[in-house]
Short mmCIF file of all heavy atoms in Angstrom, two decimals:
data_model
loop_
_atom_site.label_atom_id
_atom_site.label_comp_id
_atom_site.label_asym_id
_atom_site.label_seq_id
_atom_site.Cartn_x
_atom_site.Cartn_y
_atom_site.Cartn_z
N ASP A 41 -65.28 -122.47 185.28
CA ASP A 41 -64.48 -123.52 184.57
C ASP A 41 -64.30 -124.75 185.44
O ASP A 41 -64.50 -125.90 185.03
CB ASP A 41 -63.12 -123.02 184.19
CG ASP A 41 -63.21 -122.12 182.93
OD1 ASP A 41 -64.26 -122.07 182.29
OD2 ASP A 41 -62.20 -121.43 182.67
N LEU A 42 -63.96 -124.53 186.74
CA LEU A 42 -63.70 -125.63 187.64
C LEU A 42 -64.96 -126.49 187.88
O LEU A 42 -64.93 -127.65 188.01
CB LEU A 42 -63.11 -125.14 188.99
CG LEU A 42 -61.64 -124.57 188.85
CD1 LEU A 42 -61.24 -123.92 190.19
CD2 LEU A 42 -60.67 -125.65 188.48
N LYS A 43 -66.08 -125.79 188.05
CA LYS A 43 -67.35 -126.47 188.22
C LYS A 43 -67.66 -127.41 187.07
O LYS A 43 -68.35 -128.41 187.21
CB LYS A 43 -68.48 -125.45 188.39
CG LYS A 43 -68.61 -124.81 189.78
CD LYS A 43 -69.71 -123.84 189.83
CE LYS A 43 -69.91 -123.28 191.24
NZ LYS A 43 -70.98 -122.24 191.29
N ASN A 44 -67.17 -126.97 185.88
CA ASN A 44 -67.40 -127.77 184.66
C ASN A 44 -66.23 -128.72 184.39
O ASN A 44 -66.15 -129.31 183.26
CB ASN A 44 -67.60 -126.84 183.45
CG ASN A 44 -68.99 -126.15 183.48
OD1 ASN A 44 -70.00 -126.80 183.75
ND2 ASN A 44 -68.99 -124.87 183.48
N GLY A 45 -65.33 -128.85 185.33
CA GLY A 45 -64.28 -129.81 185.20
C GLY A 45 -63.09 -129.35 184.30
O GLY A 45 -62.31 -130.21 183.82
N ARG A 46 -63.00 -128.04 184.11
CA ARG A 46 -61.92 -127.52 183.27
C ARG A 46 -60.84 -126.89 184.13
O ARG A 46 -61.13 -126.07 184.97
CB ARG A 46 -62.46 -126.52 182.21
CG ARG A 46 -63.44 -127.08 181.22
CD ARG A 46 -63.72 -126.14 180.07
NE ARG A 46 -64.35 -124.97 180.57
CZ ARG A 46 -65.67 -124.81 180.60
NH1 ARG A 46 -66.50 -125.77 180.21
NH2 ARG A 46 -66.22 -123.66 181.01
N THR A 47 -59.58 -127.26 183.88
CA THR A 47 -58.50 -126.73 184.65
C THR A 47 -57.62 -125.88 183.77
O THR A 47 -57.49 -126.15 182.57
CB THR A 47 -57.60 -127.75 185.34
OG1 THR A 47 -57.04 -128.57 184.33
CG2 THR A 47 -58.43 -128.69 186.23
N ARG A 48 -56.89 -124.91 184.33
CA ARG A 48 -56.04 -124.04 183.55
C ARG A 48 -54.57 -124.44 183.81
O ARG A 48 -53.66 -123.79 183.25
CB ARG A 48 -56.21 -122.55 183.94
CG ARG A 48 -57.67 -122.07 183.74
CD ARG A 48 -57.75 -120.63 184.20
NE ARG A 48 -59.14 -120.17 184.03
CZ ARG A 48 -59.48 -118.92 184.22
NH1 ARG A 48 -58.58 -117.99 184.63
NH2 ARG A 48 -60.74 -118.53 184.04
N ILE A 49 -54.32 -125.39 184.63
CA ILE A 49 -52.94 -125.70 184.96
C ILE A 49 -52.57 -127.10 184.43
O ILE A 49 -53.42 -127.93 184.31
CB ILE A 49 -52.67 -125.62 186.46
CG1 ILE A 49 -53.56 -126.62 187.21
CG2 ILE A 49 -52.87 -124.19 186.97
CD1 ILE A 49 -53.31 -126.65 188.71
N PHE A 50 -51.29 -127.26 184.17
CA PHE A 50 -50.85 -128.54 183.71
C PHE A 50 -50.33 -129.40 184.90
O PHE A 50 -49.43 -128.96 185.56
CB PHE A 50 -49.71 -128.47 182.69
CG PHE A 50 -49.07 -129.75 182.36
CD1 PHE A 50 -49.70 -130.70 181.59
CD2 PHE A 50 -47.79 -130.11 182.92
CE1 PHE A 50 -49.14 -131.98 181.32
CE2 PHE A 50 -47.24 -131.32 182.63
CZ PHE A 50 -47.87 -132.26 181.84
N GLU A 51 -51.03 -130.46 185.15
CA GLU A 51 -50.59 -131.42 186.21
C GLU A 51 -51.14 -132.75 185.79
O GLU A 51 -52.32 -133.00 185.79
CB GLU A 51 -51.16 -130.95 187.54
CG GLU A 51 -50.64 -131.77 188.72
CD GLU A 51 -49.13 -131.76 188.87
OE1 GLU A 51 -48.53 -130.66 188.76
OE2 GLU A 51 -48.53 -132.82 189.05
N PRO A 52 -50.26 -133.68 185.43
CA PRO A 52 -50.71 -135.00 184.96
C PRO A 52 -51.67 -135.64 185.95
O PRO A 52 -51.41 -135.72 187.12
CB PRO A 52 -49.39 -135.83 184.90
CG PRO A 52 -48.34 -134.82 184.68
CD PRO A 52 -48.78 -133.57 185.48
N GLY A 53 -52.84 -136.06 185.40
CA GLY A 53 -53.83 -136.77 186.23
C GLY A 53 -54.84 -135.84 186.95
O GLY A 53 -55.85 -136.36 187.45
N LEU A 54 -54.51 -134.53 186.98
CA LEU A 54 -55.36 -133.63 187.78
C LEU A 54 -56.80 -133.53 187.23
O LEU A 54 -57.79 -133.57 187.94
CB LEU A 54 -54.69 -132.24 187.89
CG LEU A 54 -55.44 -131.26 188.78
CD1 LEU A 54 -55.37 -131.66 190.28
CD2 LEU A 54 -54.91 -129.85 188.62
N LYS A 55 -56.94 -133.38 185.92
CA LYS A 55 -58.21 -133.12 185.29
C LYS A 55 -59.12 -134.29 185.53
O LYS A 55 -60.24 -134.17 185.91
CB LYS A 55 -58.02 -132.86 183.77
CG LYS A 55 -59.26 -132.32 183.07
CD LYS A 55 -58.93 -131.87 181.66
CE LYS A 55 -60.10 -131.15 181.10
NZ LYS A 55 -61.29 -131.96 180.87
N ASN A 56 -58.60 -135.51 185.31
CA ASN A 56 -59.41 -136.74 185.50
C ASN A 56 -59.85 -136.88 186.97
O ASN A 56 -61.00 -137.20 187.27
CB ASN A 56 -58.60 -137.93 185.15
CG ASN A 56 -58.47 -138.09 183.61
OD1 ASN A 56 -59.19 -137.41 182.86
ND2 ASN A 56 -57.49 -138.95 183.18
N MET A 57 -58.89 -136.53 187.86
CA MET A 57 -59.19 -136.61 189.33
C MET A 57 -60.25 -135.61 189.66
O MET A 57 -61.18 -135.93 190.46
CB MET A 57 -57.87 -136.38 190.10
CG MET A 57 -57.92 -136.94 191.46
SD MET A 57 -56.40 -136.54 192.41
CE MET A 57 -55.35 -137.88 191.93
N LEU A 58 -60.18 -134.38 189.13
CA LEU A 58 -61.14 -133.36 189.35
C LEU A 58 -62.52 -133.82 188.94
O LEU A 58 -63.50 -133.69 189.71
CB LEU A 58 -60.71 -132.08 188.63
CG LEU A 58 -61.79 -130.95 188.56
CD1 LEU A 58 -62.10 -130.44 190.00
CD2 LEU A 58 -61.31 -129.80 187.67
N ASN A 59 -62.59 -134.32 187.72
CA ASN A 59 -63.88 -134.73 187.19
C ASN A 59 -64.57 -135.87 187.96
O ASN A 59 -65.76 -135.88 188.21
CB ASN A 59 -63.79 -135.05 185.65
CG ASN A 59 -63.80 -133.76 184.83
OD1 ASN A 59 -64.79 -133.16 184.69
ND2 ASN A 59 -62.60 -133.40 184.40
N THR A 60 -63.67 -136.80 188.39
CA THR A 60 -64.21 -137.97 189.22
C THR A 60 -64.79 -137.46 190.49
O THR A 60 -65.88 -137.88 190.93
CB THR A 60 -63.04 -138.95 189.43
OG1 THR A 60 -62.53 -139.43 188.23
CG2 THR A 60 -63.54 -140.14 190.29
N ASN A 61 -64.12 -136.51 191.13
CA ASN A 61 -64.54 -136.02 192.46
C ASN A 61 -65.73 -135.06 192.34
O ASN A 61 -66.52 -134.96 193.30
CB ASN A 61 -63.38 -135.43 193.20
CG ASN A 61 -62.47 -136.54 193.77
OD1 ASN A 61 -62.82 -137.22 194.73
ND2 ASN A 61 -61.31 -136.76 193.15
N LEU A 62 -65.82 -134.35 191.21
CA LEU A 62 -67.01 -133.55 190.99
C LEU A 62 -68.24 -134.46 190.86
O LEU A 62 -69.33 -134.20 191.41
CB LEU A 62 -66.91 -132.75 189.68
CG LEU A 62 -66.05 -131.45 189.74
CD1 LEU A 62 -65.71 -130.95 188.34
CD2 LEU A 62 -66.77 -130.35 190.53
N GLU A 63 -68.08 -135.55 190.17
CA GLU A 63 -69.13 -136.56 189.96
C GLU A 63 -69.57 -137.19 191.30
O GLU A 63 -70.77 -137.32 191.58
CB GLU A 63 -68.54 -137.70 189.07
CG GLU A 63 -69.61 -138.28 188.13
CD GLU A 63 -68.91 -139.26 187.18
OE1 GLU A 63 -68.20 -138.85 186.24
OE2 GLU A 63 -69.02 -140.46 187.44
N TYR A 64 -68.61 -137.46 192.19
CA TYR A 64 -68.94 -138.04 193.46
C TYR A 64 -69.44 -136.98 194.48
O TYR A 64 -69.92 -137.33 195.56
CB TYR A 64 -67.68 -138.78 194.11
CG TYR A 64 -67.43 -140.12 193.47
CD1 TYR A 64 -66.21 -140.41 192.82
CD2 TYR A 64 -68.36 -141.17 193.60
CE1 TYR A 64 -65.98 -141.64 192.26
CE2 TYR A 64 -68.18 -142.38 193.06
CZ TYR A 64 -66.97 -142.62 192.39
OH TYR A 64 -66.71 -143.88 191.83
N GLY A 65 -69.24 -135.73 194.16
CA GLY A 65 -69.70 -134.68 195.04
C GLY A 65 -68.73 -134.41 196.21
O GLY A 65 -69.14 -133.74 197.20
N ASN A 66 -67.47 -134.85 196.06
CA ASN A 66 -66.52 -134.60 197.13
C ASN A 66 -65.93 -133.18 197.06
O ASN A 66 -65.28 -132.74 198.03
CB ASN A 66 -65.34 -135.56 196.96
CG ASN A 66 -65.73 -137.00 197.42
OD1 ASN A 66 -66.78 -137.19 197.78
ND2 ASN A 66 -64.79 -137.90 197.27
N ILE A 67 -66.09 -132.50 195.99
CA ILE A 67 -65.51 -131.15 195.79
C ILE A 67 -66.52 -130.22 195.15
O ILE A 67 -67.26 -130.58 194.28
CB ILE A 67 -64.19 -131.22 194.97
CG1 ILE A 67 -63.44 -129.95 195.06
CG2 ILE A 67 -64.47 -131.64 193.54
CD1 ILE A 67 -61.98 -130.05 194.59
N LYS A 68 -66.52 -128.96 195.72
CA LYS A 68 -67.41 -127.94 195.19
C LYS A 68 -66.55 -126.65 195.09
O LYS A 68 -65.55 -126.52 195.80
CB LYS A 68 -68.59 -127.66 196.12
CG LYS A 68 -69.56 -128.88 196.27
CD LYS A 68 -70.65 -128.58 197.27
CE LYS A 68 -71.64 -129.68 197.38
NZ LYS A 68 -71.10 -130.87 198.04
N PHE A 69 -67.03 -125.75 194.20
CA PHE A 69 -66.31 -124.47 194.03
C PHE A 69 -67.28 -123.30 194.19
O PHE A 69 -68.40 -123.38 193.71
CB PHE A 69 -65.63 -124.44 192.64
CG PHE A 69 -64.60 -125.55 192.47
CD1 PHE A 69 -64.95 -126.74 191.83
CD2 PHE A 69 -63.33 -125.38 192.97
CE1 PHE A 69 -64.00 -127.69 191.65
CE2 PHE A 69 -62.38 -126.41 192.84
CZ PHE A 69 -62.70 -127.55 192.15
N THR A 70 -66.78 -122.22 194.80
CA THR A 70 -67.59 -121.08 195.04
C THR A 70 -66.71 -119.79 195.11
O THR A 70 -65.56 -119.86 195.38
CB THR A 70 -68.40 -121.28 196.33
OG1 THR A 70 -69.24 -120.09 196.53
CG2 THR A 70 -67.48 -121.43 197.54
N LYS A 71 -67.41 -118.64 194.89
CA LYS A 71 -66.72 -117.38 195.01
C LYS A 71 -66.68 -116.90 196.51
O LYS A 71 -65.84 -116.17 196.93
CB LYS A 71 -67.39 -116.29 194.20
CG LYS A 71 -66.88 -116.23 192.72
CD LYS A 71 -67.47 -115.06 192.03
CE LYS A 71 -66.82 -113.74 192.48
NZ LYS A 71 -67.38 -112.56 191.81
N LYS A 72 -67.72 -117.34 197.28
CA LYS A 72 -67.88 -116.86 198.61
C LYS A 72 -68.35 -117.98 199.46
O LYS A 72 -69.32 -118.71 199.13
CB LYS A 72 -68.95 -115.79 198.58
CG LYS A 72 -68.85 -114.80 199.80
CD LYS A 72 -67.94 -113.69 199.52
CE LYS A 72 -67.99 -112.70 200.66
NZ LYS A 72 -66.76 -111.95 200.80
N ILE A 73 -67.69 -118.26 200.56
CA ILE A 73 -68.13 -119.41 201.41
C ILE A 73 -69.46 -119.03 202.09
O ILE A 73 -69.73 -117.91 202.47
CB ILE A 73 -67.05 -119.83 202.46
CG1 ILE A 73 -66.68 -118.68 203.42
CG2 ILE A 73 -65.83 -120.41 201.82
CD1 ILE A 73 -65.87 -119.17 204.65
N ASN A 74 -70.32 -120.10 202.19
CA ASN A 74 -71.60 -119.86 202.80
C ASN A 74 -71.90 -120.88 203.89
O ASN A 74 -73.03 -120.99 204.33
CB ASN A 74 -72.71 -119.82 201.73
CG ASN A 74 -72.66 -121.08 200.87
OD1 ASN A 74 -72.14 -122.08 201.27
ND2 ASN A 74 -73.30 -120.97 199.71
#
Side-chain angles (χ1 to χ4, degrees):
D41 284 347
L42 291 173
K43 281 180 175 177
N44 289 309
R46 295 192 297 268
T47 65
R48 301 178 181 187
I49 61 177
F50 171 74
E51 185 60 44
L54 185 70
K55 193 171 189 296
N56 289 344
M57 203 183 274
L58 169 63
N59 281 285
T60 301
N61 284 286
L62 280 167
E63 214 174 286
Y64 281 120
N66 289 358
I67 193 164
K68 297 178 176 70
F69 298 99
T70 181
K71 272 187 74 179
K72 202 88 176 153
I73 58 168
N74 54 20

